[in-house]
Amino acid sequence: MSFLELKSLTKNFGGLCAVDGFSLDIAKGSVNALVGPNGCGKSTLFNLITGTIRPDSGEVLFAGVNITGRPPHEIARLGIGRKFQVPAIFDELTVRENLIVASRKQNDRTAQADILAQIHLEDQADTLAGELAHGQKQWLEIGLLLAQAPALILLDEPTAGMTAPETRATAELIHRINRDRGLTVLVIEHDMGFIEHLACPVHVMSKGKILKSGNFSEIRNDADVKALYFGTAEETVDA
């Protein structure tokens, strides 16, 4: 059953078509990855889903409700959370205090402890967020999303700047919250090693459209995707 339905979404900026009739169905409780070159429309697509910008045409349906063009705060209340590439945390607060601020139920210490355990920051609960390692800051922001009790989370390059062990741990974290919380997850990412660790359906975006969809092996071995990634097509990508 489709949980997030993107129907023929189109968005133009002047003479540039950033998203061009984009359609995609995301099943409830699934993890999906969206990859593609810089400028292909991935972040614009997230902006359309979250109401940051309105599409010129097309629809966004979430849990059967048409949310096209609704303001971001309404969409967030309906259960869609978004993590940006650069961590947005409160550096001057402790990890625990960050979660309290973000929580819908600020006095629910049990729920906050569960999140700390899931993001592997229970030992840093009383550490100032600004003192965390880069990867830990990324995990804390995912924790802030969990504190808002979303049903769908959108992650924009969650492993940017991470070490290889942190990248593997992030893939494990995403699978853990998907399994334990039943969350639906859509990830934008350039790191194909991370995508391989995710072992989920992969959708390749090019020029505002879906070029190919499949599992990691199918995508990695596809001739059109190879051309896109290695520069024999018109676009190149940071692999």
Side-chain angles (χ1 to χ4, degrees):
M1 176 181 177
S2 294
F3 194 48
L4 177 68
E5 297 180 69
L6 309 179
K7 296 185 174 183
S8 302
L9 285 174
T10 297
K11 183 63 184 180
N12 294 283
F13 296 101
L16 172 66
C17 185
V19 177
D20 186 9
F22 186 98
S23 295
L24 182 66
D25 288 350
I26 301 295
K28 183 176 177 62
S30 66
V31 177
N32 285 257
L34 184 65
V35 303
N38 289 325
C40 74
K42 301 186 301 296
S43 293
T44 299
L45 185 69
F46 270 19
N47 287 336
L48 293 172
I49 295 170
T50 56
T52 305
I53 57 177
R54 295 179 62 94
D56 297 326
S57 60
E59 294 180 329
V60 180
L61 277 69
F62 174 59
V65 177
N66 191 332
I67 62 170
T68 312
R70 291 196 186 189
H73 68 275
E74 285 189 16
I75 292 174
R77 279 204 299 264
L78 287 171
I80 297 180
R82 178 180 182 179
K83 182 200 176 306
F84 291 86
Q85 181 176 345
V86 178
I89 58 177
F90 301 101
D91 285 345
E92 70 281 5
L93 300 181
T94 67
V95 169
R96 191 191 314 276
E97 288 167 342
N98 267 268
L99 289 178
I100 291 172
V101 169
S103 295
R104 288 189 174 184
K105 298 180 180 179
Q106 295 189 337
N107 294 322
D108 191 341
R109 297 295 188 263
T110 300
Q112 292 155 19
D114 287 344
I115 292 172
L116 285 170
Q118 283 198 311
I119 62 176
H120 288 322
L121 291 180
E122 58 265 61
D123 292 339
Q124 288 78 32
D126 297 316
T127 300
L128 290 177
E131 297 177 359
L132 296 174
H134 174 72
Q136 292 174 321
K137 290 180 179 179
Q138 298 277 31
W139 299 337
L140 175 56
E141 189 175 15
I142 292 175
L144 301 188
L145 286 182
L146 298 181
Q148 298 166 36
L152 165 68
I153 57 174
L154 309 176
L155 304 178
D156 193 345
E157 297 193 26
T159 65
M162 285 189 179
T163 64
E166 288 174 335
T167 296
R168 288 192 296 272
T170 301
E172 293 167 2
L173 167 60
I174 290 171
H175 279 299
R176 190 161 57 249
I177 62 178
N178 167 253
R179 179 188 66 242
D180 296 347
R181 293 175 176 266
L183 283 179
T184 306
V185 184
L186 179 58
V187 182
I188 287 175
E189 188 53 71
H190 280 152
D191 185 340
M192 295 305 286
F194 171 67
I195 297 299
E196 184 174 15
H197 285 306
L198 276 182
C200 69
V202 182
H203 312 281
V204 182
M205 192 172 182
S206 175
K207 299 179 181 178
K209 299 179 179 180
I210 290 287
L211 175 67
K212 297 285 181 179
S213 293
N215 61 39
F216 179 80
S217 179
E218 291 168 339
I219 293 300
R220 179 180 57 188
N221 295 312
D222 184 88
D224 291 336
V225 175
K226 286 182 177 180
L228 182 66
Y229 264 67
F230 293 104
T232 55
E234 293 180 8
E235 297 173 299
T236 59
V237 69
D238 297 325

